[in-house]
Amino acid sequence: MNEALLRSLTPSVLGILVRRGADFAAAEDAVQDALVEAVRVWPADPPRDPKGWLITAAWRKFLDATRAETARRRREDLVDEEPAPGPAPSADDTLRLYFLCAHPSLTPSSAVALTLRAVGGLTTRQIARAYLVPEATMAQRISRAKRTVSGVRFDRPGDVATVLRVLYLVFNEGYSGDVDLAAEAIRLTRQLAAAIDHPEVSGLLALMLLHHARRAGRTAPDGSLVPLAEQDRTRWDTGSIAEGVEILQAALARDRLGEFQAQAAIAALHADAPTAEETDWVQIVEWYDELAGLTDNPVVRLNRAVAIGEADGPRAGLAALATLDDSLPRHTAAAAYLHERVGDLTTAARLYAEAAGKAPTLPERDHLTRRAARLNAR
């Protein structure tokens, strides 16, 4: 297949979609999906009109994505901005769709990616960021998942673990990304907890509530990020914290520890501390040890290194950080913080500036830039 031809056609196809009314980001996603499809189809069945084929395929992808986004927004309209505590309302079809997309014919990672795209309404770029992979890689993964399930009967829904992973990533995107899906993720997790007696479902619900409880304190009036240690804890939602802790304690009492319960335990220790200085960092490190034993996620080890820096001193934290791949997201920011704690302000300022250049969001970039500027001003 002529890859040069595909590259040469991409700008004009993108321009046509924009002129037809697609916004630029959505058009980019649709064209990328069409290119992945072309890579799969063209070698065996080359089109007579490559440009026309790409335009038609991309426009269909755009329409599919628009329908999914419209459906997601309708579901979000069903809930208030803040999730209400207590029993979940009667279930709708959204949770059933999550289970159906987590089909046994898919690998768990592909099922999560497909569900986030088709049901959660996230873009390929947002999903790729959640998975720490290039956008093109995620586009191919989603395309393969679509091909795998095309034509199969959805009479064997996927497992709870995959659905939990989807809900977790949707919440994370809604909590810290540019799409507000956090309340919807909590609503669906409440429904799942009411329908299934599973300690990890309870652990995930507790984790979401504990994180969501601190949301009001995460930003200043001007929209800038406020680090956890500097947040006004009177702005935290104590009702959600109490509910999250109660749900977590009941789950832990069943002695079937999972990664979401371990994460929720860490969040509870942060939420329980009256001040940042009173945070029980020793116990947090112990929970990170448990979490590292449950999952091979390198981000867990990165967060553990920062916690060690609080519990045993910044030099111990830097030693733990040195054992990790420095290409990990936020590795440079963690190193900057620990160097600042050591007192090496020159290195810390340089690393903060470097981390700002790698930041995935504008608020995070601005926050890191300000920290670098503050240290340089000294």
Side-chain angles (χ1 to χ4, degrees), residues 59-113:
W59 185 247
R60 287 173 179 167
K61 301 288 186 185
F62 167 72
L63 291 178
D64 288 345
T66 301
R67 292 188 190 103
E69 174 68 10
T70 300
R72 179 187 67 77
R73 291 189 183 280
R74 281 202 302 269
R75 293 193 300 273
E76 284 190 324
D77 288 340
L78 297 175
V79 295
D80 296 328
E81 181 178 352
E82 293 296 326
S90 59
D92 58 24
D93 287 339
T94 307
L95 193 57
R96 180 172 178 272
L97 288 173
Y98 272 70
F99 272 97
L100 292 179
C101 282
H103 197 267
S105 61
L106 297 172
T107 64
S109 61
S110 294
V112 171

Side-chain angles (χ1 to χ4, degrees), residues 193 196-207 243-262 264-265 287:
I196 297 175
D197 184 19
H198 194 299
E200 271 294 82
V201 177
S202 298
L204 179 59
L205 178 56
L207 175 64
E243 184 187 7
V245 169
E246 181 180 359
I247 291 171
L248 172 63
Q249 288 174 340
L252 291 175
R254 301 178 64 176
D255 199 22
R256 289 167 54 194
L257 184 64
E259 62 174 296
F260 292 123
Q261 295 170 72
W287 275 112

Side-chain angles (χ1 to χ4, degrees), residues 280-330:
D280 189 346
W281 285 106
V282 172
Q283 194 172 168
I284 287 175
V285 171
E286 291 174 355
W287 275 112
Y288 271 123
D289 288 339
E290 293 279 1
L291 188 55
L294 292 165
T295 175
D296 197 29
N297 189 336
V299 176
V300 170
R301 300 189 182 279
L302 177 67
N303 291 335
R304 176 181 176 275
V306 176
I308 288 173
E310 299 289 351
D312 300 330
R315 295 190 186 281
L318 285 170
L321 196 65
T323 66
L324 305 175
D325 185 347
D326 61 8
S327 67
L328 276 172
R330 298 184 174 86

Side-chain angles (χ1 to χ4, degrees), residues 47-269:
R48 280 179 288 183
D49 180 8
K51 183 176 179 180
W53 188 100
L54 278 176
I55 292 170
T56 300
W59 185 247
R60 287 173 179 167
K61 301 288 186 185
F62 167 72
L63 291 178
D64 288 345
T66 301
R67 292 188 190 103
E69 174 68 10
T70 300
R72 179 187 67 77
R73 291 189 183 280
R74 281 202 302 269
R75 293 193 300 273
E76 284 190 324
D77 288 340
L78 297 175
V79 295
D80 296 328
E81 181 178 352
E82 293 296 326
S90 59
D92 58 24
D93 287 339
T94 307
L95 193 57
R96 180 172 178 272
L97 288 173
Y98 272 70
F99 272 97
L100 292 179
C101 282
H103 197 267
S105 61
L106 297 172
T107 64
S109 61
S110 294
V112 171
L114 176 62
T115 311
L116 289 172
R117 188 75 177 91
V119 186
L122 274 64
T123 65
T124 303
R125 182 177 295 109
Q126 290 165 335
I127 301 169
R129 190 167 66 239
Y131 267 92
L132 312 179
V133 299
E135 187 176 350
T137 300
M138 183 53 64
Q140 293 174 351
R141 184 179 300 176
I142 293 172
S143 181
R144 286 195 300 269
K146 289 177 181 176
R147 292 199 305 272
T148 300
V149 299
S150 61
V152 303
R153 290 177 58 84
F154 284 96
D155 54 1
R156 295 160 54 219
D159 66 356
V160 174
T162 301
V163 175
L164 288 178
R165 180 63 53 189
V166 174
L167 290 168
Y168 175 66
L169 290 175
V170 171
F171 177 81
N172 280 347
E173 188 59 45
Y175 183 72
S176 60
D178 54 1
V179 179
D180 188 0
L181 293 172
E184 172 72 352
I186 292 175
R187 185 179 74 88
L188 291 172
T189 307
R190 283 192 189 281
Q191 288 187 2
L192 190 59
I196 297 175
D197 184 19
H198 194 299
E200 271 294 82
V201 177
S202 298
L204 179 59
L205 178 56
L207 175 64
M208 289 179 176
L209 290 169
L210 289 164
H211 277 308
H212 205 68
R214 302 200 306 258
R215 191 172 190 176
R218 293 184 71 245
T219 55
D222 63 359
S224 60
L225 291 181
V226 181
L228 177 60
E230 300 170 18
Q231 288 178 20
D232 179 359
R233 299 184 178 220
T234 63
R235 300 185 66 196
W236 291 359
D237 183 348
T238 55
S240 291
I241 291 173
E243 184 187 7
V245 169
E246 181 180 359
I247 291 171
L248 172 63
Q249 288 174 340
L252 291 175
R254 301 178 64 176
D255 199 22
R256 289 167 54 194
L257 184 64
E259 62 174 296
F260 292 123
Q261 295 170 72
Q263 287 190 57
I266 294 168
L269 286 167

